[in-house]
Amino acid sequence: MEYTGSEYIGEYVNGRMEGNAKYILPTETRYVGEMKDGMFHGEGTLYFPSGSRYDAIWEKGLVVKGTYTFADGLQYNAVNWHYCDSYDRRFYTEICNGLKPAGISQLTNMDPPRKIPKGYYDCGDGFYNPTTRIIKDYKNRFLRNADDDEHEWIIRTCRKGWDEIGTHRPKL
C-alpha cells in the first residue's frame, strides 16, 4: 500500500486481500465491499469525494453490473437518458420539484445557486480566476491550472460572478 498511496482495511487470506474490506485510494475514493485474491469481487460500492457512488457486482476486478448515483440522488440510466440534453433541459431538482413560475429562471441544479466571487467563473467543479487561470474547488482548494482550451470554454459558457449590462441598439 505504501507504493500506491492507498489504504486497505480488511481481511487477508494467504497474504492476499480477501473478504469484506474497505480500500481507500489516494484520490479519497473509497471502495467498501467484497475482495478476492486482491481484487474487487462480489458486491461492493465505490464512494467518490463528490458524494456520488457506484454500487456494483464485481468479478475479478471488473464490473458485471452496476448503478451510478449522483450526489443529489439522481441515478444514471444508460437507456433513455435525457437529463439535461436537447430532449429535456430541466435540472434534476426541477424534475423532482417542478418548474419555477414564468420569469424566474433556475440557473443551476442548486437552488439557490452558489454565489460566485466577483471576477470569477463557476466552472462546475469550482471557481475559475481568469487572471491567474487557476481553478479552486468550492472549499478554496487548488484543483488545476486551465489550459488555453479550457480557459476559452469557461469564458464562453460558464456563469460569471458579476453582471454585465448589455445595451441593445436597434438597427436604423
Side-chain angles (χ1 to χ4, degrees):
M1 294 297 111
E2 63 191 72
Y3 300 111
T4 65
S6 300
E7 180 182 359
Y8 176 75
I9 303 165
E11 304 165 11
Y12 288 89
V13 174
N14 296 325
R16 307 283 294 184
M17 297 179 283
E18 197 157 313
N20 290 317
K22 182 189 282 189
Y23 189 90
I24 305 166
L25 298 148
T27 60
E28 296 180 20
T29 298
R30 295 176 292 123
Y31 172 80
V32 178
E34 299 173 65
M35 303 279 289
K36 184 174 182 181
D37 198 26
M39 296 179 276
F40 301 167
H41 189 85
E43 292 184 21
T45 301
L46 284 170
Y47 296 93
F48 299 97
S50 66
S52 60
R53 62 189 280 168
Y54 188 66
D55 299 292
I57 297 173
W58 305 80
E59 188 171 314
K60 296 182 182 177
L62 301 174
V63 173
V64 174
K65 181 180 179 183
T67 303
Y68 184 83
T69 305
F70 293 90
D72 62 6
L74 174 66
Q75 281 194 346
Y76 175 72
N77 180 353
V79 179
N80 300 321
W81 181 254
H82 295 297
Y83 175 63
C84 278
D85 67 4
S86 59
Y87 177 79
D88 187 350
R89 301 286 301 185
R90 294 175 298 165
F91 292 108
Y92 183 57
T93 53
E94 292 175 315
I95 292 169
C96 294
N97 304 320
L99 295 172
K100 301 248 183 240
I104 301 174
S105 298
Q106 187 167 329
L107 302 174
T108 70
N109 191 51
M110 288 184 68
D111 189 31
R114 283 187 179 88
K115 182 159 176 48
I116 306 167
K118 188 171 184 173
Y120 286 70
Y121 291 81
D122 184 352
C123 58
D125 59 349
F127 295 126
Y128 175 63
N129 180 334
T131 305
T132 63
R133 291 190 167 206
I134 292 174
I135 300 167
K136 292 186 177 181
D137 70 11
Y138 298 119
K139 294 180 180 175
N140 204 32
R141 296 177 297 197
F142 176 84
L143 285 178
R144 65 185 175 281
N145 292 309
D147 62 16
D148 291 341
D149 290 337
E150 186 174 25
H151 171 81
E152 293 303 322
W153 180 84
I154 291 170
I155 300 299
R156 189 176 64 252
T157 62
C158 294
R159 290 187 324 116
K160 48 188 146 199
W162 67 94
D163 291 330
E164 288 182 356
I165 300 171
T167 56
H168 175 70
R169 299 181 190 270
K171 291 182 183 178
L172 299 173

